[in-house]
Amino acid sequence: MKCFRQFLAAFVLTVSTTAFANSNANFGERWEPISFQIEKMLSDSNLVIEEDFTVTVIFKVNAERKIEIRLIDSPNEEVNQFLKKRLENQKLYGNSWDAEKIYELPVKVQATR
């Protein structure tokens, strides 16, 4: 009986440790700065840009912390489509976002050299 209790204790310890480790799998991602989260969403565009310009993105964060695009204002339609595709319905982590609030995000687009 003593051997069974030791086995049971070891089993419970292993299961609880594993469950705790899995619950924090995205810990680093959840606490990244907001600007870094959006920068990661917009990386690797493969767009050919001839001159530098700034795009204004107006969006709202819904109750599920997902981005809802309201307006993308830039002279380049290809960039507009890229931004909408990459940002629409993306989940944001952290507690810095207020649900149902409208945000304005300036995005600096640099020419590819």
Side-chain angles (χ1 to χ4, degrees):
M1 187 70 172
K2 183 178 181 182
C3 184
F4 177 74
R5 288 198 320 213
Q6 287 177 343
F7 172 77
L8 185 61
F11 178 76
V12 169
L13 181 64
T14 303
V15 169
S16 65
T17 304
T18 305
F20 180 73
N22 285 336
S23 68
N24 290 329
N26 294 328
F27 180 76
E29 182 177 85
R30 291 181 191 276
W31 297 107
E32 291 174 342
I34 294 166
S35 58
F36 188 70
Q37 290 180 45
I38 292 176
E39 184 179 330
K40 279 177 37 179
M41 291 176 203
L42 299 177
S43 64
D44 301 327
S45 71
N46 296 326
L47 295 173
V48 177
I49 307 297
E50 296 181 12
E51 60 185 48
D52 295 350
F53 60 93
T54 301
V55 179
T56 301
V57 179
I58 298 176
F59 64 95
K60 179 175 101 169
V61 178
N62 64 21
E64 298 171 346
R65 292 195 179 141
K66 291 188 178 182
I67 297 173
E68 295 178 6
I69 300 292
R70 296 292 185 216
L71 174 71
I72 299 176
D73 185 29
S74 84
N76 188 323
E77 189 60 34
E78 188 176 10
V79 171
N80 294 351
Q81 292 299 319
F82 170 77
L83 289 171
K84 183 169 181 154
K85 178 182 165 190
R86 288 284 178 102
L87 294 176
E88 187 74 35
N89 290 318
Q90 291 294 317
K91 182 159 176 113
L92 298 171
Y93 297 98
N95 296 325
S96 299
W97 297 100
D98 294 328
E100 307 304 321
K101 182 177 176 183
I102 303 291
Y103 292 91
E104 181 175 339
L105 174 70
V107 178
K108 293 179 185 176
V109 179
Q110 295 179 342
T112 52
R113 298 185 163 96

